[in-house]
Amino acid sequence: MSLPETATPGTPGLGSGLLRLVEPFPVQAHRYPRFRYMGSKHRLLEWIHGVLTDLEFDRAVDGFSGSGTVSYLLKAMGKEVVANDFLRFPGVLTRALVENGDTRLGADDVDAVLASRAPARRRFIERTFRDVFYTPAELKFLDDAWEGIRGLSDPAKQALALSALLRSCIKRQPRGVFTVGGDLEKYKDGRRDLQLSLREHFVEQVREYNRAVFDNGRRNRSRHGDVFAAPGDTDLVYLDPPYVPRSDDNCYVKRYHFLEGLACYWEGVRILPDSKVRKIEKPFTPFSYRRTADDAFRRLFRHFADATIVLSYSSNAYPDLEWLVKAMKAVKRRVEVVAKPHRYHFGTHGAVRRNQVQEYLVVGLS
Ligand SMILES: C[S@@+](CC[C@H](N)C(=O)[O-])C[C@H]1O[C@@H](n2cnc3c(N)ncnc32)[C@H](O)[C@@H]1O
């Protein structure tokens, strides 16, 4: 693929050409509990930071926050952050560590969660996921822990405890996705994450999340909602949407439905009647389909036309880079492209696939 003429591959070089002081990568950003999530930019954080430090901004929106790692980086850079995603569990993760600046779970909170027992009418997880995911004792633990989390009075404490539970569940899931059940016996491969019970994981994860809480002195927010409803009035927007894949599919709900349900105790979501793994209905997003993606990107750029736009893009996606640059140029005076090779790892159908893709940041400036 030939890069557009404005391309500046390899190095940020977005400034005016004058020598600028390079901000060091904030140590705090390394404290974020890494969440195994399709398309997570965790491995690209230092590169993204290098590009962001070259831009002037004070307030930032992360429009598709996913695992929350970029929102947390922005917070660690001292910015006022709005983290947004249309799934619920990314909202829980950013409520715990982006919005929340000073609340931690105390030993008494953890004891209360661990001592809770759900009444018979709230044994939904045990009833619904028997023989699908986890052991019966662990399913019971999840119902009991949720009961305890309901009892925590502070929403920030609830978000921290739920985040710890979410990360426990994904660590305990052999392939890190919930596409097929019955994995626990098949994958007894000595991995520590598979040997620990969910309860043991939870206790560890509470420590991880508590350790990552910090205040950057700003009023940061976590939003659960469509990107088009996120505030367009901001200095900078980071956009990492789910591109239409060239092969396979990019469905987040198919992979993470259990976490999405756990984030709200399956209240207000519908389990598909024919699903063996008790998948829930997926919300529509125009970014996932060829017939709607072009229009969605044009609308997205218009929505954030007044902000500096930083768009993550990878070479194996649709629409292609040239199209995106042209669409961004309709609302921005200057568009620059920064490139970095990146190798993605994620498991599909039991095998680990390695795809060599080119990663880009497309930066739109006024
Ligand atoms: C590539 S992931 C983002 C990954 C994230 N930057 C990270 O580092 O973990 C794309 C995210 O977009 C979210 N999403 C998809 N359509 C959306 C929409 N219309 N509005 C808001 N979020 C959306 C998905 O739930 C998913 O979390």
Side-chain angles (χ1 to χ4, degrees), residues 113-119 123 140 143-144 147-148 199:
V113 171
L114 293 176
S116 287
R117 295 292 169 262
R123 300 229 143 269
K140 181 174 180 312
D143 281 316
D144 289 338
E147 192 64 18
R199 184 189 171 96

Side-chain angles (χ1 to χ4, degrees), residues 344-362:
Y344 271 112
H345 303 256
F346 59 89
T348 328
H349 306 301
V352 174
R353 297 197 326 181
R354 293 186 160 77
N355 292 334
Q356 184 68 53
V357 297
Q358 182 80 36
E359 282 292 327
Y360 297 103
L361 286 173
V362 186

Side-chain angles (χ1 to χ4, degrees), residues 60-228:
V61 171
D62 181 2
F64 304 82
S65 63
S67 70
T69 188
V70 178
S71 292
Y72 190 80
L73 166 69
L74 288 161
K75 179 178 177 184
M77 291 170 72
K79 311 299 179 186
E80 186 178 294
V81 185
V82 176
N84 179 83
D85 202 284
F86 82 157
L87 292 183
R88 290 170 175 80
F89 76 92
V92 171
L93 301 176
T94 53
R95 222 180 306 142
L97 292 184
V98 177
E99 187 169 286
N100 171 34
D102 49 16
T103 301
R104 289 183 177 77
L105 288 164
D108 49 339
D109 300 316
V110 181
D111 289 347
V113 171
L114 293 176
S116 287
R117 295 292 169 262
R121 66 176 196 289
R122 283 213 284 257
R123 300 229 143 269
F124 175 84
I125 305 177
E126 193 183 348
R127 275 200 316 272
T128 312
F129 292 97
R130 186 170 305 149
D131 299 326
V132 185
F133 303 122
Y134 310 120
T135 63
E138 287 176 312
L139 295 174
K140 181 174 180 312
F141 165 74
L142 289 175
D143 281 316
D144 289 338
W146 234 110
E147 192 64 18
I149 290 171
R150 262 190 210 98
L152 296 172
S153 52
D154 183 334
K157 287 191 177 186
Q158 289 183 330
L160 278 170
L162 256 183
S163 296
L165 208 57
L166 289 164
R167 190 157 185 252
S168 302
C169 285
I170 200 150
K171 279 178 155 285
R172 183 83 173 98
Q173 185 63 6
R175 292 175 307 116
V177 289
F178 296 86
T179 46
V180 284
D183 276 357
L184 271 185
E185 287 306 311
K186 214 163 73 190
Y187 287 87
K188 284 249 161 93
D189 55 13
R191 264 182 287 167
R192 181 173 182 272
D193 276 353
L194 302 187
Q195 283 167 353
L196 293 189
S197 68
L198 279 179
R199 184 189 171 96
E200 289 165 327
H201 271 297
F202 176 73
V203 172
E204 272 193 13
Q205 292 312 313
V206 166
R207 281 200 294 270
E208 290 277 310
Y209 278 87
N210 267 347
R211 210 170 65 91
V213 172
F214 78 105
D215 189 0
N216 74 347
R218 313 299 299 264
R219 276 176 65 91
N220 306 299
R221 275 197 300 136
S222 160
R223 270 194 91 252
H224 162 227
D226 196 273
V227 69
F228 294 105

Side-chain angles (χ1 to χ4, degrees), residues 27-80:
V27 177
Q28 181 67 44
H30 287 306
R31 302 230 167 91
Y32 194 66
R34 181 180 187 172
F35 208 91
R36 207 170 155 193
Y37 194 62
M38 179 171 67
S40 165
K41 295 299 174 283
H42 181 84
R43 283 204 191 93
L44 296 171
L45 271 194
E46 299 206 5
W47 173 61
I48 293 174
H49 172 259
V51 174
L52 292 175
T53 48
D54 227 9
L55 302 166
E56 265 173 48
F57 66 105
D58 187 46
R59 298 169 306 153
V61 171
D62 181 2
F64 304 82
S65 63
S67 70
T69 188
V70 178
S71 292
Y72 190 80
L73 166 69
L74 288 161
K75 179 178 177 184
M77 291 170 72
K79 311 299 179 186
E80 186 178 294

Side-chain angles (χ1 to χ4, degrees), residues 1-4 313 317 319-326 337 360 362:
M1 178 195 306
S2 63
L3 291 179
Y313 170 77
D320 68 28
L321 183 60
E322 269 167 81
W323 189 95
L324 285 168
V325 169
K326 211 167 143 204
V337 181
Y360 297 103
V362 186

